[in-house]
Amino acid sequence: MPDVERHDYDVVVIGAGGAGLRAVIEAREQGLSVAVVCKSLFGKAHTVMAEGGCAASMGNANEKDNWQTHFKDTMRGGKFLNNWRMAELHAQEAADRVWELETYGALFDRTPDGRISQRNFGGHTYPRLAHVGDRTGLELIRTMQQKIVSLQQEDFAATGDYEARIKVFAECTITELLTDNGAVAGAFGYWRESGGFVLFKAPAVVLATGGIGKSYTVTSNSWEYTGDGHALALRCGATLINMEFLQFHPTGMVWPPSVKGILVTEGVRGDGGVLKNSDGKRFMFDYIPPVFKGQYAETEEEADQWLRDNDSARRTPDLLPRDEVARAINEEVKAGRGTEHGGVYLDIASRMPAEEIVRRLPSMHHQFKELADVDITAEPMEVGPTCHYVMGGVEVDPDSGAAVVPGLFAAGECSGGMHGSNRLGGNSLSDLLVFGRRAGLGASAYVQRLTDRPTPAETDIDAAVKTALAPFDAPADGPGENPYTLHAELQQTMNDLVGIIRKEHEVRAAIDKLDELRARYANVTVAGKRPFNPGWHLALDLANMLIVSECVARAALMRTESRGGHTRDDHPGMNPDWRNSLLVCAVDPASTAQIPGVTVTRADQTPMRDDLLALFELSELEKYYTEQELAAHPAAEG
Ligand code: FAD
C-alpha cells in the first residue's frame, strides 16, 4: 500500500469558499483546531466569482426594509418550499454578518452619506445587495482570509506556531469520508500536485464544497463544481433534498462558443439594463406569472419610474425571480425572436452614460471586451440561460448545520433547504456567512460534547486508497473508458434531457443513459502516474458527478409539477399538494460500489410557525397552499 500522510484535527472543513472560511473562523474562535482543505488554490473558489452582491436587510437604501420583508421575499422566490426556519435565520442574521465583515476589514461601496450601498436585484422588494462594484465575492474572500491570518498571528503569539489552530491544505482533494460506528471519524484525499495520499483524522467534518454545475455543458460554474460534497455526504449515509431544483441563470454569455455560459451579473438589470428580443421589444412585460400579478410594473414608463424611485411605482419585470426570466428567454428564442447566436439582448448601453457603466460594472465591461469583443457601453449584450446554482444539497438541521450522520455538517451551496425551489440573487453570499458560522458553531459544540473520539479503521483507509487508484488499472480486455469522453457524454445528457424544461420521456432517457455511463465508469482508465494528472482527477470527480446527476434526474422524474427551478413540460403549473413535499435522496451506506444506486422518497416538511405564516396575506398564500394547510392562518380562523 502507498504511504498515507496523517493529520489530527478537531474539525476538518472541506472547501475554502465563503461558507468554509466562515466555518473555519467560528470553529477557531471556539478554541478548536481546524484544517481547511480545498482542491483549488486557497482563495480560488466560486465565492470569488460572485459579482452582484450580498443580500441583507440593512435598510440603507430604503429604510422600510427589514428582516420580515427579506424573509417573505425569500419564501416567495423559493415558491414556499423553502425550509422556513433557515429562511428566518438567514433573514434575521444576514445584516449582522455583513456588518461583522466590516470589522474584519471589508470595504463595501457607500451611499453618499457613508453607509453601505445596496443595489436592486430580482425578487427583492427593496435595494438590498451590499456590494463592491461587481466584485463582491472577491472582497468577501479577501476579508475572511485576512481574518484567518490575523487569528493565525494570535496563535503564533500564544504558541510560537502560526498553524497551531488553523492550517490550510490547498490543492488537496477529499475523495472519501470515513466513519466509525456510523459517526464521522475523518476524511481521506490526495494532493493534486504529487498524487500523495492524506488522511485527516477528525470527529467533525464541515462540507462546504459548493455546487454541481460541471455536470452540464452550459454553465457559469468552474472546474471545481463537481458535486463532491453532495456525493461524499450520500456515500457516508447522509441525505440530500431538493435535488430536482437547479437554477438556470437567465443571463449567461451565448457567444463566442468558447465562453458560452459565463455569467452576466443580474446587477446589470439591477442597475437599469433591460432585456429585449430581436424585434427590439422589452418582452418581460408579457411574462408576469399569475402569482406575481399586481406586484410588477405593467408598462415601460412605470418600470423606469421604479428604477428612479422604488417607492413610487411597481418593480420592473426584468427583475422577476430568475426561474421566471430564464423561462421567458427560452420562450422568446423558441418563438424565433432570439438573437443570431440563440439568446436575447441585454441592453445597458442605451440606459446610462458610458462612464457610469464602466464605474458600476467594471468586470462586465472588461469581460465582454476581452472575451466577445463587445463594448457594452455602445452595444447590447447577447445573453441566454446557463446552469448556475443547485438549490438541492445535504439535508441539515437549520440551527446547527448538522446532517443526519453524527459529526457531519454542511453549509453553503452544498447544503439544501434554505432556497426552496429557487434562490434569489444575492441570497447565496448571505447564506454562506449565516450558515457557515452556524455550521462552525454546530461542529464545535458537537466536538466539545464528545467523550470518546471515533477512529477511522485501517481497512477503510486501505479501501479508500484502492478506490482512488482503480482508474490506473486498465480492464483485461481493452484500453478502458476515457474519463473525458464519459464526462462530455454526461454533460450533454444532463443539458439536453434534464435541463431548463423537462419531459417525462426525456428524463427517463437520461436515467437510462446514466445507467449506461455508470456501467462504463467501472472501466474508466487513465494513463500516466499520480503526480499532477488531470485525467486521474477527472476520473475521480466523475464518480461524484454521476451519482449527483442521478439524484437530479430521479427527483426530476418524481416531481410531477413545475415549481421554481424545476419545469415539467408535461406537468405545467404548481400543484399545492407538492408544495410542502421534499424528495429525499439516499444511498445504502453499506454499499461498497463507488457509484451506489440512489433511492428517492417523498417526505413532508414541518409546517411553518404561525407567527411567520401571519406575515403573509391569506390571499397570497391561497396561490400556493392547500385549503387544509391554510386553516391555521389567523385570517382563515376569523
Ligand atoms: P465555493 O465558494 O465554490 O467553494 C467551494 C470550495 O470547495 C472550493 O474551495 C473548492 O476548491 C472546494 N472543494 C470542492 N470539492 C472539494 C473536494 N472534494 N475536496 C476539497 N475541496 C473541495 N451569489 C450571490 O449571492 N451573489 C452574487 O452576486 C453571486 N454571483 C455569482 C457569480 C458567479 C459567476 C457564480 C458562479 C456564482 C455566483 N453566486 C452569487 C453564487 C455564489 O457565488 C455561490 O453559490 C457561492 O459562492 C458558493 O459558496 P460556497 O462556499 O458554498 O462554495
Side-chain angles (χ1 to χ4, degrees):
M1 270 297 159
D3 284 347
V4 178
E5 173 188 325
R6 292 173 187 237
H7 302 274
D8 215 323
Y9 283 91
D10 293 325
V11 179
V12 173
V13 176
I14 307 175
L21 294 189
R22 192 60 192 81
V24 170
I25 292 167
E26 203 58 34
R28 156 61 183 78
E29 299 266 39
Q30 300 303 312
L32 303 193
S33 66
V34 195
V36 51
V37 189
C38 52
K39 73 185 198 183
S40 42
L41 289 166
F42 192 53
K44 157 70 192 77
H46 261 97
T47 306
V48 160
M49 296 157 72
E51 296 159 354
C54 176
S57 59
M58 293 183 284
N60 291 349
N62 189 322
E63 61 194 23
K64 284 199 225 127
D65 203 6
N66 54 29
W67 77 260
Q68 289 91 340
T69 312
H70 194 180
F71 168 75
K72 288 195 286 182
D73 288 344
T74 301
M75 293 299 296
R76 286 178 186 130
K79 304 286 190 314
F80 287 85
L81 184 105
N82 317 53
N83 179 308
W84 53 263
R85 174 65 179 156
M86 289 178 99
E88 178 192 21
L89 290 170
H90 168 258
Q92 287 174 339
E93 295 178 6
D96 283 345
R97 297 285 78 78
V98 172
W99 281 315
E100 182 179 64
L101 275 188
E102 289 223 307
T103 70
Y104 298 172
L107 288 170
F108 288 96
D109 289 354
R110 318 307 288 189
T111 60
D113 62 352
R115 291 179 296 169
I116 293 176
S117 167
Q118 299 189 266
R119 66 157 48 114
N120 284 310
F121 242 54
H124 292 281
T125 301
Y126 300 112
R128 193 177 275 148
L129 269 69
H131 56 93
V132 184
D134 55 4
R135 296 175 180 143
T136 312
L138 177 63
E139 182 68 354
L140 213 103
I141 289 289
R142 184 196 69 76
T143 308
M144 286 200 277
Q145 286 188 335
Q146 185 173 309
K147 175 71 180 173
I148 285 173
V149 169
S150 86
L151 289 169
Q152 287 178 317
Q153 282 168 343
E154 280 177 23
D155 292 340
F156 179 74
T159 67
D161 178 4
Y162 287 107
E163 294 176 328
R165 293 210 187 89
I166 301 178
K167 183 162 173 160
V168 179
F169 296 80
E171 297 197 90
C172 181
T173 301
I174 297 298
T175 58
E176 215 71 66
L177 296 181
L178 305 173
T179 53
D180 178 10
N181 263 327
V184 164
F188 171 91
Y190 66 92
W191 290 105
R192 295 177 69 82
E193 189 185 350
S194 65
F197 292 121
V198 54
L199 173 76
F200 299 91
K201 188 169 169 270
V205 165
V206 178
L207 292 171
T209 50
I212 68 164
K214 275 295 165 192
S215 295
Y216 283 76
T217 319
V218 181
T219 178
S220 65
N221 292 184
S222 76
W223 64 271
E224 307 125 279
Y225 264 20
T226 52
D228 296 4
H230 291 72
L232 288 168
L234 271 178
R235 285 208 302 268
C236 83
T239 43
L240 305 185
I241 54 170
N242 293 348
M243 291 304 290
E244 66 276 37
F245 298 114
L246 282 174
Q247 181 166 86
F248 292 85
H249 193 293
T251 60
M253 292 178 80
V254 295
W255 183 259
S258 57
V259 298
K260 193 166 177 172
I262 289 187
L263 194 75
V264 179
T265 176
E266 194 169 316
V268 176
R269 282 169 289 139
D271 285 0
V274 292
L275 292 164
K276 292 178 179 169
N277 63 20
S278 55
D279 300 333
K281 182 177 176 195
R282 285 175 64 178
F283 58 84
M284 281 311 299
F285 294 97
D286 299 337
Y287 290 94
I288 303 170
V291 287
F292 292 121
K293 271 271 177 314
Q295 295 174 29
Y296 283 81
E298 285 164 35
T299 62
E300 292 187 17
E301 294 68 36
E302 187 183 1
D304 291 348
Q305 173 58 28
W306 175 82
L307 277 165
R308 286 187 291 274
D309 167 19
N310 58 46
D311 276 339
S312 61
R314 292 171 295 178
R315 53 195 294 105
T316 171
D318 285 298
L319 287 174
L320 273 159
R322 289 174 176 175
D323 52 333
E324 311 290 356
V325 184
R327 273 191 296 271
I329 294 176
N330 206 57
E331 285 294 311
E332 286 297 302
V333 174
K334 237 170 59 188
R337 295 186 291 270
T339 63
E340 187 190 346
H341 301 111
V344 293
Y345 293 112
L346 175 57
D347 169 27
I348 186 95
S350 71
R351 310 274 300 168
M352 62 179 69
E355 56 282 9
E356 183 73 1
I357 296 172
V358 177
R359 189 182 67 76
R360 289 193 195 208
L361 301 161
S363 300
M364 288 302 104
H365 182 251
H366 180 78
Q367 176 174 312
F368 273 88
K369 198 77 206 118
E370 292 297 313
L371 301 178
D373 197 22
V374 167
D375 177 0
I376 70 166
T377 67
E379 318 161 63
M381 298 159 245
E382 277 186 73
V383 294
T386 178
C387 177
H388 183 57
Y389 185 89
V390 60
M391 270 69 75
V394 183
E395 186 175 22
V396 291
D397 167 59
D399 290 71
S400 65
V404 295
V405 174
L408 186 64
F409 298 79
E413 192 169 339
C414 78
S415 66
M418 158 69 204
H419 306 285
S421 67
N422 174 51
R423 173 180 72 89
L424 293 187
N427 268 1
S428 176
L429 292 188
S430 38
D431 165 354
L432 311 180
L433 298 173
V434 168
F435 294 105
R437 171 179 165 275
R438 282 185 165 270
L441 271 175
S444 305
Y446 171 82
V447 172
Q448 281 156 347
R449 279 197 308 272
L450 284 178
T451 44
D452 284 325
R453 293 205 167 198
T455 312
E458 288 303 319
T459 47
D460 288 346
I461 299 166
D462 291 349
V465 169
K466 212 166 143 229
T467 304
L469 292 176
F472 288 108
D473 297 330
D477 54 354
E481 292 280 354
N482 180 324
Y484 291 96
T485 308
L486 291 188
H487 187 211
E489 288 184 35
L490 168 70
Q491 289 182 313
Q492 207 61 55
T493 302
M494 294 306 286
N495 221 77
D496 294 350
L497 304 177
V498 204
I500 183 165
I501 309 286
R502 297 155 180 184
K503 300 180 174 74
E504 179 177 340
H505 70 275
E506 291 185 351
V507 179
R508 284 193 189 282
I511 291 172
D512 290 346
K513 180 71 182 180
L514 290 171
D515 283 347
E516 177 206 311
L517 292 174
R518 182 163 16 138
R520 286 166 60 194
Y521 182 82
N523 288 332
V524 83
T525 307
V526 297
K529 300 220 170 355
R530 281 195 279 152
F532 197 86
N533 184 335
W536 178 44
H537 303 168
L538 177 64
L540 297 178
D541 292 347
L542 192 54
N544 298 331
M545 287 188 267
L546 284 169
I547 188 171
V548 165
S549 298
E550 184 165 347
C551 293
V552 175
R554 288 198 182 278
L557 181 64
M558 206 180 230
R559 185 173 285 275
T560 46
E561 65 155 357
S562 295
R563 183 181 297 275
H566 169 67
T567 304
R568 282 284 298 262
D569 213 29
D570 45 354
H571 294 277
M574 283 184 280
N575 178 345
D577 290 331
W578 268 107
R579 187 201 58 80
N580 206 31
S581 287
L582 296 178
L583 292 176
V584 184
C585 300
V587 302
D588 176 4
S591 167
T592 51
Q594 202 185 355
I595 313 177
V598 171
T599 58
V600 185
T601 42
R602 185 172 169 168
D604 279 346
Q605 306 196 71
T606 314
M608 196 192 290
R609 241 183 24 238
D610 286 353
D611 59 309
L612 296 176
L613 200 65
L615 293 174
F616 299 93
E617 297 288 332
L618 185 60
S619 57
E620 179 173 15
L621 293 180
E622 280 167 355
K623 298 171 185 169
Y624 301 93
Y625 277 60
T626 62
E627 271 178 37
Q628 202 186 358
E629 288 174 316
L630 285 177
H633 193 277
E637 287 170 337

